[in-house]
Amino acid sequence: MARSLLSGNEAVARGAWEAGALVGVGYPGTPSTEVLEAFACMPGVYAEWAPNEKVALEVAAGSSLGGVRTLVTMKHVGLNVAADPLLTLSHTGVGAGLVLLVADDPGMHSSQNEQDSRNYAAFAKVPLLEPSDSAEALAHVRLAFDLSERFDLPVILRSTTRVAHSKGLVGTEDREERERVPYEKRPEKWVMMPGNARVRRLELDERIGRVREWAEGSGVHTEVPGGGPVGVVTSGVCYHHVREALPGAPVLKLSLTWPLPLAVVRDFAERVRRVAVVEEADDFLARGLRAAGIDVADVPLPAAGELTPRKVAAAFGATVVPARAALDDLPPRPPLMCPGCPHRGVFHALRRMRAVVTGDIGCYTLGALPPLAAMDTCVCMGASIGMAHGLSLAGEASRPVVAVIGDSTFAHSGVTGLMDLSYNRGNATVVVLDNRVTAMTGQQDNPLTGRTLMGESTVEVDVPALARALGIADVTRVDPFDLPATESALRAAVESPGPSVIVVKGECALLAREHAEPFGVDEELCTACAVCIRLGCPAISKESSGKAAIDAELCVGCAQCVQVCKYEAIVATGPACDVGELR
């Protein structure tokens, strides 16, 4: 067996490939994104980004029905979007193996909420496996495909940020070449009209019963002997936190956490003085054990956020390993849009208009932070347009109402909001911030970019044409680097009756291969008015004199600052330019 150093995400992709998976489909979302990107590089497979997680799971259901093992990937909030097909797929079952990789984000390092996807396993009645490191990630995804076919169920593999992004040595094997399962017409299994669904609902209980029986005797769980007053039941990455914080404690690590292997836990509980549970995001295990009559000790673990060995040790009264105290006197460094970001000019204009801006999920959410401070809401993928419509229904007439949404998010779930706005004759303006990429998750393609995950050219959704097809008559394109034109288009749109759409198309600054010459500040002309500072460009700073300065190493020459300076104090630099001493 060869050994490789893999992240948890890479190990999931490798495990799916070794298991003979042929199709991978998903929607990018940290911390899950790299799984499908790694899978797409494996030989003999096909992978694609879907517009959203619901579509991804439906594509996966189809390829499973068609007889090939399929991996579908998403982050935890994406599982909310995919919940509709998931809760019926537990009834229909699968064709070839179908595995959902769902990456949770305890502590919300890159997410708008903290949720525990294990609850979905119980809700949908599908088995759930939890790897604790990269080696288990590979092994568990292979096991998940086997369980999926053995019990005719989709299987969730739940990862978390630390498992997804940590690296470890993993034993790798050759790919298991599998014959495609011939498609068989079976409407009683796949057509979930009530008469068929009632039968499959009863069969679902029978299948889950067999999974539970398997889990009790499979040996997939790990028990570590030890002493001390408390035996710890845990799962996932928390297992490693427990082993580091309580090295002498007996530990039971559960790999399959739904359905819960209660006989395994009871046997463990009878051999220790007291049982405690260590888990993060939710008390999923503790609730299940207590509901089954197993006495679980109360341990003062934090109810929210990511656990660490120090937090576990402190909760159990164990010795906490000394660590350097965090510095608390550092200047705040709020995240800012990149130099040359095409979104900056839009938010600058919206702030000047005093618009109420309903925002969405993406790097442009940074427009909510000072100095731009031009976004009022951000709830979930695609919510901006519906919220703008609702705000206008509430009679917010004193200020213009504008929704802003990125290209990938518009394809994800903004289209239906725009359809609703048009259908119900709403009166809001929608700005599609098309920067030609899904930037926030690492520059993935989407239906608006004209490229696929496999690197092939494809059709590119024409947003203005789509908006007109949905019934929006007032549709405008604008160059976001032309600030006067951008503000003029916005003012015209909000003043016209009925719904309107502005497509703001400008390449993400991280994609641009060539940049113009940087600009500089003529200190004799600069009046220290700070208008350019309020653009929030990282290349612009304020000197002790109050005047602006531009870092030529950061400036990409987008010229947005030039357009806001009334005193012509921001000037071009370069060998042919003679503007005196630049700062």
Side-chain angles (χ1 to χ4, degrees), residues 521-524 578-583:
V521 176
D522 185 330
E523 64 175 1
E524 293 185 1
D578 183 10
V579 294
E581 184 179 356
L582 299 178
R583 306 186 62 201

Side-chain angles (χ1 to χ4, degrees), residues 103-128:
D104 284 5
D105 187 18
M108 295 172 284
H109 297 284
S110 57
S111 307
Q112 66 269 40
N113 70 29
E114 184 178 84
Q115 68 183 53
D116 191 329
S117 295
R118 295 178 299 180
N119 291 293
Y120 267 111
F123 186 28
K125 299 184 185 299
V126 297
L128 182 138

Side-chain angles (χ1 to χ4, degrees), residues 420-433:
D420 178 67
L421 180 68
S422 174
Y423 170 66
N424 288 298
R425 305 171 69 86
N427 189 29
T429 294
V430 176
V431 180
V432 180
L433 302 168

Side-chain angles (χ1 to χ4, degrees), residues 124-311:
K125 299 184 185 299
V126 297
L128 182 138
L129 289 160
E130 285 192 78
S132 63
D133 53 30
S134 297
E136 283 194 348
L138 188 150
H140 282 16
V141 75
R142 295 194 62 162
L143 173 63
F145 276 109
D146 290 339
L147 295 179
S148 177
E149 292 177 354
R150 181 172 180 175
F151 299 108
D152 191 19
L153 286 163
V155 175
I156 295 176
L157 188 77
R158 186 235 189 187
S159 174
T160 56
T161 303
R162 293 299 154 190
V163 176
H165 290 163
S166 297
K167 289 208 170 191
L169 282 174
V170 179
T172 58
E173 298 181 6
D174 293 336
R175 178 173 168 85
E176 178 185 346
E177 297 298 341
R178 302 183 63 81
E179 294 292 330
R180 185 188 303 265
V181 180
Y183 170 72
E184 180 183 0
K185 185 177 178 67
R186 294 182 60 189
E188 74 281 3
K189 171 178 164 63
W190 286 100
V191 181
M192 285 299 95
M193 59 178 62
N196 292 338
R198 293 187 192 107
V199 176
R200 292 297 293 180
R201 173 66 184 85
L202 298 177
E203 291 179 358
L204 174 57
D205 285 345
E206 183 272 332
R207 284 176 281 152
I208 287 298
R210 287 194 286 124
V211 174
R212 184 176 284 109
E213 183 178 350
W214 172 87
E216 300 286 11
S218 65
V220 71
H221 312 292
T222 301
E223 183 173 335
V224 179
V230 176
V232 179
V233 177
T234 188
S235 64
V237 74
C238 293
Y239 166 72
H240 293 288
H241 298 336
V242 170
R243 294 287 290 146
E244 184 172 339
L246 310 169
V251 180
L252 174 63
K253 177 174 70 68
L254 300 178
S255 287
L256 186 116
T257 49
W258 201 89
L260 275 173
L262 295 173
V264 172
V265 179
R266 284 197 178 95
D267 176 67
F268 176 75
E270 290 171 358
R271 290 182 282 109
V272 297
R273 279 185 271 176
R274 194 77 193 275
V275 168
V277 173
V278 173
E279 56 189 329
E280 58 188 1
D282 195 10
D283 59 345
F284 178 81
L285 294 178
R287 280 201 321 270
L289 300 187
R290 285 179 174 133
I294 298 173
D295 185 24
V296 176
D298 288 322
V299 179
L301 289 163
E306 192 174 33
L307 290 183
T308 64
R310 287 176 59 82
K311 291 179 181 177

